[in-house]
Amino acid sequence: MSNERLKVAAAQYPVGFFSDWPSYATHIEKWVAEAAHQHARLLVFPEYFSLEISSMFGAAIYSSLPLTLEKMGHSLGAFLGLFRDMAQKYHVYICAGSFPVHEDDAYYNRSYFFWPNGHCEFQEKLQMTRFEKERWHISGGSGLNVFVTDFGKVAVNVCYDCEFPLFARRQVEQGADIILVPSCTDTLAGFHRVKIGCQARALENQCYVVQATLVGECAWSEAVDTNVGVAAFYAPADQGFTANGILAAGKPHCAEWLYTELDFSAIARVRADGEVLNHQDWSAQRRHVPR
């Protein structure tokens, strides 16, 4: 991981309503331009923020969960093209929240990651919530990825995935020092479950975790009608960091970017000589809890 400091922007993002694609593209560019003008190099949007695209399809579509998924697929190419253009134009890395993708007769919740040169890869959500499985019939994906950037390796845990420690651990073992968590939660309890998961992953892996959230009401959409949460940056609760491990947190209910500079040399120091050595001591569990 690079010794440089990295300015990251995490979105508290309200679901909008758009009449056509140009108005949506203009809206997205305003968000990206604002963060870029604040010198952020990595931008993180929340899970399912892409569903605002369905507002263009009419009430018969966006009021139906199955029809929303079906119609969204027709916009995937334009969505990828838009964020590829934004990453290149503003020379930033973008985690584009998540987008429901149809492939092999199933739907997957896929988080796309864009490089400043326009390259794109993705991380699928692996563990699905009850709503996704039982009402929306979205399938869990497969495979854990780590994205190589010019500031080091980045991993993505999509929302609920951050509540399962072995996912993040495998990515950290592959070199990730920062985990991005695009999230979408419709209750305060749901938000706190994801928040606790984020803090736990930062603690046990001695790494940074960045959470982006949807915020506000969206009465027209059954999928994202209520959105509760705040964006935040988490770190190990250890020397060189805040005592509670929270580097920054957004203002409740506000639509905004939250910014923080991350110092990756501090992660290296705490892993080598922290008050505790969670990252190193992880493997000791196997001696005490044999399989």
Side-chain angles (χ1 to χ4, degrees):
M1 181 62 73
S2 168
N3 289 328
E4 69 177 299
R5 299 175 71 90
L6 174 74
K7 190 168 187 178
V8 182
Q12 289 188 181
Y13 189 89
V15 181
F17 193 95
F18 301 94
S19 59
D20 52 36
W21 188 266
S23 60
Y24 171 70
T26 297
H27 171 77
I28 291 296
E29 181 161 13
K30 286 180 179 178
W31 272 78
V32 173
E34 178 184 332
H37 292 156
Q38 293 297 319
H39 307 293
R41 292 183 58 207
L42 171 60
L43 284 56
V44 186
F45 286 93
E47 181 186 32
Y48 288 132
F49 85 119
S50 60
L51 288 178
E52 63 187 5
I53 292 171
S54 66
S55 63
M56 306 174 204
F57 305 150
I61 302 295
Y62 62 64
S63 61
S64 164
L65 291 175
L67 291 178
T68 295
L69 285 180
E70 180 181 344
K71 189 70 171 179
M72 283 289 292
H74 300 307
S75 299
L76 178 59
F79 176 85
L80 296 178
L82 172 61
F83 280 90
R84 182 178 292 111
D85 291 346
M86 292 298 97
Q88 291 178 296
K89 179 175 181 178
Y90 292 97
H91 200 68
V92 292
Y93 293 88
I94 303 176
C95 175
S98 76
F99 194 106
V101 176
H102 186 255
E103 193 170 276
D104 298 327
D105 295 322
Y107 285 98
Y108 300 95
N109 186 7
R110 189 172 286 179
S111 182
Y112 288 93
F113 188 86
F114 296 85
W115 278 252
N117 64 4
H119 179 62
C120 172
E121 296 182 24
F122 63 83
Q123 172 64 58
E124 288 178 334
K125 188 173 185 177
L126 306 182
Q127 194 72 35
M128 312 312 293
T129 63
R130 292 190 64 186
F131 176 82
E132 288 171 305
K133 287 188 296 186
E134 297 173 12
R135 295 191 55 197
W136 220 359
H137 307 296
I138 299 180
S139 300
S142 61
L144 285 163
N145 302 315
V146 171
F147 306 130
V148 180
T149 73
D150 64 1
F151 53 81
K153 294 182 179 179
V154 179
V156 176
N157 284 185
V158 181
C159 199
Y160 190 39
D161 281 353
C162 83
E163 298 178 36
F164 297 87
L166 297 185
F167 295 157
R169 185 62 194 183
R170 176 61 60 85
Q171 292 165 312
V172 168
E173 288 173 346
Q174 294 175 11
D177 286 345
I178 178 172
I179 298 170
L180 312 180
V181 181
S183 69
C184 168
T185 49
D186 61 357
T187 65
L188 191 58
F191 162 67
H192 279 289
R193 286 193 295 270
V194 177
K195 174 180 179 288
I196 291 166
C198 289
Q199 288 188 275
R201 305 296 79 82
L203 167 72
E204 67 206 14
N205 294 297
Q206 295 182 300
C207 68
Y208 292 118
V209 178
V210 180
Q211 183 182 6
T213 62
L214 284 180
V215 294
E217 300 295 318
C218 179
W220 59 266
S221 172
E222 184 178 356
V224 287
D225 52 347
T226 301
N227 305 286
V228 179
V230 296
F233 294 86
Y234 304 105
D238 208 323
Q239 58 188 13
F241 299 104
T242 57
N244 62 4
I246 302 174
L247 300 181
K251 301 174 184 176
H253 315 301
C254 291
E256 63 179 2
W257 282 115
L258 180 68
Y259 301 100
T260 291
E261 284 194 350
L262 304 181
D263 179 1
F264 292 105
S265 64
I267 290 294
R269 285 194 300 271
V270 79
R271 285 178 175 177
D273 191 29
E275 294 176 7
V276 290
L277 298 172
N278 303 73
H279 179 264
Q280 293 183 35
D281 291 339
W282 176 275
S283 60
Q285 296 176 91
R286 298 186 180 96
R287 297 198 303 269
H288 303 295
V289 187
R291 292 183 179 180

